[in-house]
Amino acid sequence: MLLLILCFCPVFAAQKGGVQYVIPIEYSLIDENELANEAENFFQQYLSVEDEKQKQVLLQKMLSNYSILGEIDKENPLYFTRLGIVYDKLGKDRYAKSNFFRSENLEPNYPYAYYSFANYYFDRKEFKKALKEYLRAYNAGYQNHYETLVRIGTIYQKLGDFTSAINYYNMANAVKPTEEISAKILLLEELLQKNSLYNQRSRQGAEK
């Protein structure tokens, strides 16, 4: 019985009786749509399951499918964005960034790539880099994408730019009103008002 293991290169490694063979993949025989649908199903399952072992299994399945899909269609930004996400979750930062960059270069107006790369930076608390990517996603078509708007608002809040944070929180609330975001807006408006009163009193004190 042959055990097939997908490598990062476009071949399969097969092992039998302690001897390893390299078996090239015949991509012309693969149904791209079927493989892409299967990969999408794995991705959606990954988002819904909580068991860490199941997540790791699904990541490996996605890695296999999207690696092959990337060889079948080297111009499809979705495949390389998903590879970036998979490598991100596997802790392979260099491969994740490489695939995100590749996806962005393939299609400069593809917001999902910018958004996914922004999430990569956000999770690592590299907020200025994350903000740059979220804004690129926004400008590329995610003007009504709730998660992007909330993340931009969140980063501006962390960076102390409360006016910009309120602006993006308001846009997020226009897409999907929530009590949580409304509470953040009220809090920041109160802080801005307090800062304004403080600055006004400081100026008045300096003039005396």
Side-chain angles (χ1 to χ4, degrees), residues 54-127:
Q54 284 183 286
K55 281 183 173 291
Q56 291 301 314
V57 170
L58 289 167
L59 284 172
Q60 293 300 326
K61 290 181 177 180
M62 284 189 285
L63 179 60
S64 171
N65 281 33
Y66 283 117
S67 294
I68 295 173
L69 288 166
E71 291 295 329
I72 294 173
D73 185 356
K74 294 180 170 63
E75 304 297 319
N76 191 322
L78 172 63
Y79 299 158
F80 297 102
T81 299
R82 288 287 171 81
L83 277 172
I85 294 171
V86 170
Y87 280 123
D88 173 13
K89 302 306 180 184
L90 290 172
K92 305 290 186 180
D93 289 9
R94 184 164 65 90
Y95 291 111
K97 293 172 71 174
S98 174
N99 279 282
F100 286 135
F101 280 128
R102 181 170 182 175
S103 181
E104 291 181 348
N105 290 331
L106 282 172
E107 179 48 71
N109 294 315
Y110 187 57
Y112 183 54
Y114 298 126
Y115 172 74
S116 301
F117 204 179
N119 289 339
Y120 168 92
Y121 284 125
F122 188 91
D123 291 342
R124 288 158 179 76
K125 302 186 186 305
E126 297 184 53
F127 295 121

Coordinates of all heavy atoms in Angstrom, one line a residue, residues 54-127:
Q54 N -9.0 19.0 15.1 CA -9.8 19.1 13.9 C -9.3 20.2 13.0 O -9.2 20.1 11.8 CB -11.3 19.2 14.2 CG -12.0 18.0 14.6 CD -13.4 18.2 14.8 OE1 -13.9 18.8 15.8 NE2 -14.2 17.7 13.9
K55 N -9.0 21.3 13.7 CA -8.5 22.5 13.0 C -7.2 22.2 12.3 O -7.0 22.6 11.1 CB -8.3 23.7 13.9 CG -9.6 24.4 14.3 CD -9.3 25.6 15.2 CE -10.6 26.5 15.4 NZ -11.0 27.2 14.2
Q56 N -6.3 21.5 12.9 CA -5.0 21.2 12.4 C -5.2 20.2 11.2 O -4.5 20.4 10.2 CB -4.1 20.6 13.4 CG -3.6 21.5 14.5 CD -2.9 22.7 13.9 OE1 -2.0 22.6 13.1 NE2 -3.2 23.9 14.4
V57 N -6.1 19.3 11.3 CA -6.3 18.4 10.2 C -6.9 19.2 9.0 O -6.4 19.0 7.8 CB -7.4 17.3 10.6 CG1 -7.8 16.5 9.3 CG2 -6.7 16.3 11.6
L58 N -7.8 20.1 9.2 CA -8.4 20.9 8.1 C -7.3 21.8 7.5 O -7.3 22.0 6.3 CB -9.6 21.7 8.7 CG -10.8 20.9 9.0 CD1 -11.8 21.7 9.8 CD2 -11.5 20.4 7.7
L59 N -6.4 22.3 8.3 CA -5.4 23.2 7.8 C -4.5 22.4 6.8 O -4.1 22.9 5.7 CB -4.5 23.8 8.9 CG -5.1 24.9 9.7 CD1 -4.2 25.2 10.9 CD2 -5.3 26.1 8.8
Q60 N -4.2 21.2 7.1 CA -3.3 20.3 6.3 C -4.1 20.0 5.0 O -3.5 20.0 3.9 CB -2.9 19.1 7.0 CG -1.9 19.3 8.1 CD -0.7 20.0 7.7 OE1 -0.1 19.7 6.6 NE2 -0.1 20.8 8.6
K61 N -5.4 19.8 5.1 CA -6.2 19.5 3.9 C -6.2 20.7 3.0 O -6.1 20.6 1.8 CB -7.6 19.1 4.3 CG -7.6 17.7 4.9 CD -9.1 17.3 5.2 CE -9.1 15.9 5.8 NZ -10.5 15.5 6.1
M62 N -6.4 21.9 3.6 CA -6.4 23.1 2.8 C -5.1 23.4 2.2 O -5.0 23.8 1.0 CB -6.8 24.3 3.7 CG -8.3 24.4 4.0 SD -8.8 25.9 4.8 CE -8.1 25.7 6.5
L63 N -4.0 23.2 2.9 CA -2.7 23.4 2.4 C -2.5 22.5 1.1 O -1.9 23.0 0.1 CB -1.6 23.0 3.5 CG -0.1 23.1 3.0 CD1 0.2 24.6 2.6 CD2 0.8 22.7 4.2
S64 N -2.9 21.2 1.2 CA -2.8 20.3 0.1 C -3.6 20.9 -1.1 O -3.0 21.0 -2.2 CB -3.3 19.0 0.5 OG -3.4 18.1 -0.6
N65 N -4.8 21.2 -0.9 CA -5.7 21.6 -2.0 C -5.2 22.9 -2.6 O -5.1 23.1 -3.9 CB -7.1 21.8 -1.5 CG -7.9 20.4 -1.4 OD1 -7.2 19.4 -1.1 ND2 -9.2 20.4 -1.6
Y66 N -5.0 23.9 -1.8 CA -4.6 25.2 -2.3 C -3.2 25.2 -3.0 O -3.0 26.0 -3.9 CB -4.8 26.3 -1.3 CG -6.2 26.7 -1.0 CD1 -6.8 26.5 0.2 CD2 -7.0 27.3 -2.0 CE1 -8.1 26.8 0.5 CE2 -8.3 27.6 -1.8 CZ -8.9 27.4 -0.6 OH -10.2 27.7 -0.4
S67 N -2.3 24.4 -2.5 CA -1.0 24.3 -3.1 C -1.2 23.7 -4.6 O -0.6 24.2 -5.5 CB -0.1 23.3 -2.3 OG 0.2 23.9 -1.1
I68 N -2.0 22.7 -4.7 CA -2.3 22.2 -6.1 C -3.0 23.2 -6.9 O -2.7 23.4 -8.1 CB -3.1 20.9 -6.0 CG1 -2.3 19.8 -5.3 CG2 -3.5 20.4 -7.4 CD1 -3.1 18.5 -5.0
L69 N -4.0 23.9 -6.3 CA -4.8 24.9 -7.1 C -3.9 26.0 -7.6 O -4.0 26.6 -8.7 CB -5.9 25.4 -6.2 CG -7.1 24.5 -6.0 CD1 -8.0 25.0 -4.9 CD2 -7.9 24.3 -7.3
G70 N -2.9 26.4 -6.7 CA -2.0 27.4 -7.1 C -1.1 27.0 -8.3 O -0.6 27.9 -9.0
E71 N -0.8 25.8 -8.4 CA -0.1 25.3 -9.5 C -0.9 25.2 -10.8 O -0.5 25.4 -11.9 CB 0.5 23.9 -9.2 CG 1.6 23.9 -8.2 CD 2.8 24.6 -8.6 OE1 3.1 24.6 -9.8 OE2 3.5 25.2 -7.8
I72 N -2.2 24.9 -10.6 CA -3.1 24.8 -11.8 C -3.4 26.2 -12.3 O -3.4 26.4 -13.5 CB -4.5 24.2 -11.3 CG1 -4.3 22.7 -11.0 CG2 -5.5 24.2 -12.5 CD1 -5.5 22.0 -10.4
D73 N -3.6 27.2 -11.5 CA -3.9 28.5 -11.9 C -3.0 29.5 -11.1 O -3.4 29.9 -10.0 CB -5.4 28.9 -11.7 CG -5.8 30.3 -12.2 OD1 -4.9 31.0 -12.7 OD2 -7.0 30.6 -12.2
K74 N -1.9 29.9 -11.7 CA -1.0 30.7 -11.0 C -1.4 32.2 -11.0 O -0.6 33.0 -10.4 CB 0.4 30.6 -11.7 CG 1.0 29.2 -11.5 CD 2.4 29.2 -12.2 CE 3.2 27.9 -11.9 NZ 2.5 26.7 -12.4
E75 N -2.5 32.5 -11.5 CA -3.0 33.9 -11.6 C -4.2 34.2 -10.7 O -4.8 35.2 -10.8 CB -3.3 34.3 -13.1 CG -2.2 34.1 -14.0 CD -1.0 35.0 -13.7 OE1 -1.2 36.1 -13.4 OE2 0.2 34.5 -13.8
N76 N -4.6 33.2 -9.9 CA -5.8 33.3 -9.1 C -5.4 33.8 -7.7 O -4.8 33.1 -6.9 CB -6.5 32.0 -9.0 CG -7.9 32.1 -8.4 OD1 -8.1 32.9 -7.5 ND2 -8.9 31.4 -8.9
P77 N -5.8 35.1 -7.4 CA -5.4 35.7 -6.1 C -6.0 35.0 -4.9 O -5.5 35.0 -3.8 CB -5.8 37.1 -6.2 CG -6.9 37.1 -7.2 CD -6.6 36.1 -8.2
L78 N -7.2 34.4 -5.1 CA -7.9 33.7 -4.0 C -7.0 32.5 -3.5 O -6.9 32.4 -2.2 CB -9.2 33.2 -4.4 CG -10.0 32.3 -3.4 CD1 -10.3 33.0 -2.1 CD2 -11.2 31.7 -4.0
Y79 N -6.5 31.8 -4.4 CA -5.7 30.6 -3.9 C -4.5 31.0 -3.1 O -4.2 30.4 -2.1 CB -5.2 29.8 -5.2 CG -6.3 29.3 -6.1 CD1 -6.1 28.9 -7.4 CD2 -7.6 29.1 -5.6 CE1 -7.1 28.4 -8.2 CE2 -8.6 28.6 -6.4 CZ -8.3 28.3 -7.7 OH -9.3 27.8 -8.5
F80 N -3.8 32.1 -3.5 CA -2.6 32.5 -2.7 C -3.0 33.2 -1.4 O -2.2 33.2 -0.4 CB -1.7 33.3 -3.6 CG -1.2 32.5 -4.8 CD1 -1.8 32.6 -6.1 CD2 -0.3 31.5 -4.6 CE1 -1.4 31.9 -7.1 CE2 0.2 30.7 -5.7 CZ -0.4 30.9 -6.9
T81 N -4.1 33.9 -1.4 CA -4.6 34.5 -0.2 C -4.9 33.4 0.8 O -4.5 33.5 2.0 CB -5.9 35.3 -0.4 OG1 -5.6 36.4 -1.4 CG2 -6.4 36.0 0.9
R82 N -5.6 32.4 0.4 CA -5.9 31.3 1.3 C -4.7 30.5 1.7 O -4.6 30.1 2.9 CB -6.9 30.3 0.6 CG -8.3 30.9 0.4 CD -9.0 30.9 1.8 NE -10.3 31.6 1.7 CZ -11.4 31.1 1.3 NH1 -11.5 29.9 0.8 NH2 -12.5 31.8 1.3
L83 N -3.7 30.4 0.9 CA -2.4 29.8 1.3 C -1.8 30.7 2.4 O -1.2 30.2 3.4 CB -1.5 29.6 0.1 CG -1.7 28.4 -0.7 CD1 -0.8 28.4 -2.0 CD2 -1.3 27.1 0.1
G84 N -1.9 32.0 2.2 CA -1.3 32.9 3.2 C -2.0 32.7 4.5 O -1.4 32.7 5.6
I85 N -3.3 32.6 4.5 CA -4.1 32.4 5.7 C -3.7 31.0 6.4 O -3.5 31.0 7.6 CB -5.6 32.4 5.4 CG1 -6.1 33.8 5.0 CG2 -6.4 31.9 6.7 CD1 -7.5 33.8 4.5
V86 N -3.6 30.0 5.6 CA -3.2 28.7 6.1 C -1.8 28.7 6.8 O -1.6 28.2 7.9 CB -3.3 27.6 5.0 CG1 -2.7 26.3 5.5 CG2 -4.7 27.4 4.6
Y87 N -0.9 29.3 6.1 CA 0.5 29.3 6.6 C 0.5 30.2 7.9 O 1.3 30.0 8.8 CB 1.4 29.9 5.6 CG 1.9 28.8 4.6 CD1 1.7 29.0 3.2 CD2 2.5 27.7 5.0 CE1 2.1 28.1 2.3 CE2 3.0 26.7 4.1 CZ 2.8 26.9 2.7 OH 3.2 26.0 1.8
D88 N -0.3 31.3 7.9 CA -0.4 32.1 9.1 C -0.9 31.3 10.3 O -0.2 31.3 11.3 CB -1.5 33.2 8.8 CG -1.8 34.1 10.0 OD1 -1.1 34.0 11.0 OD2 -2.8 34.8 10.0
K89 N -1.9 30.5 10.1 CA -2.4 29.7 11.2 C -1.5 28.5 11.6 O -1.5 28.1 12.7 CB -3.8 29.0 10.8 CG -4.9 30.1 10.5 CD -5.1 31.1 11.6 CE -6.1 32.1 11.2 NZ -6.2 33.2 12.2
L90 N -0.6 28.1 10.6 CA 0.4 27.1 10.9 C 1.6 27.7 11.6 O 2.6 27.0 11.9 CB 0.7 26.3 9.7 CG -0.3 25.4 9.1 CD1 0.1 24.9 7.7 CD2 -0.6 24.3 10.0
G91 N 1.7 29.0 11.7 CA 2.8 29.7 12.3 C 4.0 29.8 11.3 O 5.1 30.0 11.8
K92 N 3.8 29.6 10.0 CA 4.8 29.8 9.0 C 4.8 31.2 8.5 O 4.3 31.4 7.4 CB 4.6 28.7 7.9 CG 4.5 27.3 8.4 CD 5.9 26.8 8.9 CE 5.8 25.3 9.3 NZ 7.1 24.8 9.8
D93 N 5.4 32.1 9.2 CA 5.2 33.6 8.9 C 5.8 33.9 7.5 O 5.2 34.7 6.8 CB 5.9 34.4 10.0 CG 5.1 34.4 11.3 OD1 4.2 33.6 11.4 OD2 5.4 35.2 12.2
R94 N 7.0 33.4 7.2 CA 7.6 33.7 5.9 C 6.8 33.3 4.8 O 6.6 34.0 3.8 CB 9.0 33.1 5.9 CG 9.8 33.5 4.6 CD 11.3 33.2 4.8 NE 11.5 31.8 4.9 CZ 11.7 30.9 3.9 NH1 11.8 31.4 2.7 NH2 12.0 29.7 4.1
Y95 N 6.2 32.1 4.8 CA 5.4 31.6 3.7 C 4.1 32.3 3.7 O 3.5 32.6 2.6 CB 5.1 30.1 3.9 CG 6.3 29.2 3.7 CD1 6.9 28.5 4.8 CD2 6.9 29.1 2.4 CE1 8.0 27.7 4.6 CE2 8.0 28.3 2.2 CZ 8.6 27.6 3.3 OH 9.7 26.8 3.1
A96 N 3.5 32.7 4.8 CA 2.3 33.5 4.9 C 2.5 34.8 4.2 O 1.7 35.1 3.3 CB 1.8 33.7 6.3
K97 N 3.5 35.5 4.5 CA 3.7 36.9 4.0 C 4.0 36.8 2.5 O 3.5 37.6 1.7 CB 4.9 37.6 4.7 CG 4.5 37.9 6.1 CD 5.7 38.4 6.9 CE 6.1 39.8 6.4 NZ 7.2 40.4 7.3
S98 N 4.8 35.7 2.1 CA 5.1 35.6 0.7 C 3.8 35.4 -0.2 O 3.7 36.0 -1.3 CB 6.0 34.3 0.5 OG 6.2 34.1 -0.9
N99 N 2.9 34.6 0.3 CA 1.7 34.3 -0.4 C 0.7 35.5 -0.4 O 0.1 35.8 -1.4 CB 1.0 33.1 0.1 CG 1.6 31.8 -0.4 OD1 1.3 31.4 -1.5 ND2 2.4 31.2 0.4
F100 N 0.7 36.3 0.7 CA -0.1 37.5 0.7 C 0.4 38.5 -0.3 O -0.3 39.1 -1.0 CB -0.1 38.1 2.1 CG -1.0 37.4 3.1 CD1 -0.5 37.1 4.4 CD2 -2.3 37.0 2.8 CE1 -1.3 36.4 5.3 CE2 -3.1 36.3 3.7 CZ -2.6 36.0 4.9
F101 N 1.7 38.7 -0.3 CA 2.3 39.6 -1.3 C 2.1 39.2 -2.7 O 1.8 40.0 -3.6 CB 3.9 39.7 -1.0 CG 4.3 40.6 0.1 CD1 5.1 40.1 1.1 CD2 3.8 41.9 0.2 CE1 5.5 41.0 2.1 CE2 4.2 42.7 1.3 CZ 5.0 42.3 2.2
R102 N 2.2 37.9 -2.9 CA 1.9 37.4 -4.3 C 0.5 37.7 -4.7 O 0.2 38.1 -5.9 CB 2.2 35.9 -4.4 CG 2.0 35.3 -5.7 CD 2.5 33.9 -5.8 NE 2.4 33.3 -7.2 CZ 2.8 32.1 -7.5 NH1 3.5 31.4 -6.7 NH2 2.6 31.7 -8.8
S103 N -0.5 37.4 -3.8 CA -1.9 37.7 -4.1 C -2.1 39.2 -4.4 O -2.8 39.5 -5.4 CB -2.7 37.2 -3.0 OG -4.1 37.5 -3.3
E104 N -1.5 40.0 -3.6 CA -1.7 41.5 -3.8 C -1.1 41.9 -5.2 O -1.7 42.8 -5.9 CB -1.1 42.3 -2.7 CG -1.8 42.1 -1.4 CD -1.2 42.9 -0.2 OE1 0.0 43.4 -0.4 OE2 -1.8 43.0 0.8
N105 N 0.0 41.4 -5.5 CA 0.7 41.7 -6.8 C -0.1 41.2 -8.0 O -0.1 41.8 -9.1 CB 2.1 41.2 -6.8 CG 3.0 41.9 -5.9 OD1 2.8 43.1 -5.6 ND2 4.0 41.3 -5.4
L106 N -0.8 40.0 -7.8 CA -1.6 39.5 -8.9 C -2.8 40.3 -9.3 O -3.1 40.5 -10.4 CB -2.0 38.1 -8.6 CG -1.0 36.9 -8.7 CD1 -1.6 35.7 -8.1 CD2 -0.6 36.7 -10.1
E107 N -3.4 40.9 -8.2 CA -4.6 41.7 -8.4 C -4.6 42.8 -7.4 O -5.1 42.7 -6.3 CB -5.9 40.8 -8.2 CG -7.2 41.5 -8.4 CD -7.2 42.4 -9.6 OE1 -7.3 41.8 -10.7 OE2 -7.2 43.6 -9.5
P108 N -4.2 44.0 -7.8 CA -4.1 45.2 -6.9 C -5.4 45.6 -6.4 O -5.4 46.4 -5.4 CB -3.4 46.2 -7.8 CG -2.7 45.5 -8.9 CD -3.5 44.3 -9.2
N109 N -6.5 45.3 -7.0 CA -7.8 45.7 -6.6 C -8.6 44.6 -5.9 O -9.8 44.6 -6.0 CB -8.6 46.3 -7.7 CG -8.0 47.6 -8.2 OD1 -7.6 48.5 -7.5 ND2 -7.9 47.7 -9.6
Y110 N -7.9 43.6 -5.3 CA -8.6 42.5 -4.7 C -8.6 42.7 -3.2 O -7.6 42.4 -2.5 CB -7.8 41.2 -5.0 CG -8.4 39.9 -4.6 CD1 -9.7 39.6 -5.0 CD2 -7.7 39.1 -3.8 CE1 -10.3 38.4 -4.6 CE2 -8.3 37.8 -3.4 CZ -9.6 37.5 -3.8 OH -10.2 36.3 -3.4
P111 N -9.7 43.2 -2.6 CA -9.7 43.6 -1.2 C -9.5 42.5 -0.2 O -9.0 42.7 0.9 CB -11.1 44.3 -1.0 CG -11.9 43.7 -2.1 CD -11.0 43.5 -3.3
Y112 N -9.9 41.3 -0.6 CA -9.8 40.1 0.4 C -8.3 39.9 0.7 O -8.0 39.5 1.9 CB -10.4 38.9 -0.3 CG -10.4 37.7 0.6 CD1 -11.0 37.7 1.9 CD2 -9.9 36.5 0.1 CE1 -11.0 36.6 2.7 CE2 -9.9 35.3 0.9 CZ -10.5 35.4 2.2 OH -10.5 34.2 3.0
A113 N -7.4 40.1 -0.2 CA -6.0 39.8 0.0 C -5.5 40.9 1.1 O -4.8 40.5 2.0 CB -5.2 39.9 -1.2
Y114 N -5.8 42.1 0.9 CA -5.4 43.2 1.8 C -6.0 42.9 3.2 O -5.3 43.1 4.2 CB -5.9 44.6 1.3 CG -5.3 45.0 0.0 CD1 -6.1 45.4 -1.1 CD2 -3.9 44.9 -0.2 CE1 -5.5 45.7 -2.3 CE2 -3.3 45.3 -1.4 CZ -4.2 45.7 -2.5 OH -3.6 46.1 -3.7
Y115 N -7.3 42.6 3.2 CA -8.0 42.3 4.5 C -7.3 41.2 5.2 O -7.1 41.2 6.5 CB -9.4 42.0 4.2 CG -10.2 41.6 5.5 CD1 -10.5 42.4 6.5 CD2 -10.6 40.2 5.6 CE1 -11.2 42.0 7.6 CE2 -11.2 39.8 6.7 CZ -11.6 40.7 7.7 OH -12.3 40.2 8.8
S116 N -7.0 40.1 4.5 CA -6.4 38.9 5.2 C -5.0 39.2 5.6 O -4.6 38.8 6.7 CB -6.4 37.7 4.2 OG -7.7 37.4 3.7
F117 N -4.2 40.0 4.9 CA -2.9 40.4 5.3 C -3.0 41.3 6.5 O -2.1 41.2 7.4 CB -2.2 41.1 4.1 CG -0.7 41.0 4.2 CD1 0.1 41.6 3.2 CD2 0.0 40.4 5.2 CE1 1.5 41.5 3.2 CE2 1.4 40.3 5.3 CZ 2.1 40.9 4.3
A118 N -4.0 42.2 6.5 CA -4.2 43.1 7.7 C -4.4 42.2 8.9 O -3.9 42.5 10.0 CB -5.3 44.0 7.4
N119 N -5.3 41.2 8.8 CA -5.5 40.3 10.0 C -4.2 39.7 10.5 O -4.1 39.5 11.7 CB -6.5 39.2 9.6 CG -7.9 39.8 9.3 OD1 -8.3 40.9 9.8 ND2 -8.7 39.0 8.6
Y120 N -3.4 39.3 9.6 CA -2.1 38.7 9.9 C -1.3 39.7 10.8 O -0.8 39.3 11.9 CB -1.3 38.4 8.7 CG 0.2 38.1 8.9 CD1 0.6 36.8 9.0 CD2 1.1 39.1 8.9 CE1 1.9 36.5 9.3 CE2 2.5 38.8 9.1 CZ 2.9 37.5 9.3 OH 4.2 37.2 9.5
Y121 N -1.2 41.0 10.4 CA -0.5 42.0 11.2 C -1.3 42.3 12.5 O -0.6 42.5 13.6 CB -0.3 43.2 10.4 CG 0.8 43.1 9.3 CD1 0.5 43.4 8.0 CD2 2.1 42.8 9.7 CE1 1.5 43.3 7.1 CE2 3.1 42.7 8.7 CZ 2.8 43.0 7.4 OH 3.8 42.9 6.5
F122 N -2.6 42.4 12.4 CA -3.4 42.7 13.6 C -3.2 41.7 14.7 O -3.0 42.0 15.9 CB -4.9 42.8 13.2 CG -5.7 43.4 14.3 CD1 -6.0 44.7 14.4 CD2 -6.3 42.5 15.3 CE1 -6.8 45.2 15.5 CE2 -7.1 43.0 16.3 CZ -7.3 44.4 16.4
D123 N -3.2 40.4 14.3 CA -3.0 39.3 15.3 C -1.6 39.4 16.0 O -1.4 38.9 17.1 CB -3.2 38.0 14.7 CG -4.6 37.7 14.3 OD1 -5.5 38.4 14.8 OD2 -4.9 36.8 13.4
R124 N -0.7 40.0 15.3 CA 0.7 40.1 15.8 C 0.9 41.5 16.5 O 2.1 41.8 16.8 CB 1.7 39.9 14.7 CG 1.8 38.4 14.3 CD 2.3 38.1 13.0 NE 2.4 36.7 12.7 CZ 1.3 36.0 12.3 NH1 0.1 36.5 12.3 NH2 1.5 34.7 12.1
K125 N -0.2 42.2 16.6 CA -0.1 43.6 17.2 C 0.8 44.6 16.5 O 1.3 45.5 17.1 CB 0.3 43.5 18.7 CG -0.7 42.6 19.5 CD -0.3 42.6 21.0 CE -1.2 41.6 21.8 NZ -2.6 41.8 21.6
E126 N 0.9 44.3 15.2 CA 1.7 45.3 14.4 C 0.6 46.2 13.8 O 0.3 46.1 12.6 CB 2.5 44.6 13.3 CG 3.6 43.7 13.9 CD 4.5 43.1 12.8 OE1 5.0 43.8 12.0 OE2 4.6 41.8 12.8
F127 N 0.1 47.1 14.6 CA -1.1 47.9 14.3 C -0.9 48.9 13.1 O -1.9 49.0 12.3 CB -1.7 48.6 15.5 CG -2.1 47.6 16.6 CD1 -1.6 47.6 17.8 CD2 -3.1 46.6 16.3 CE1 -2.0 46.7 18.8 CE2 -3.5 45.7 17.3 CZ -2.9 45.8 18.5

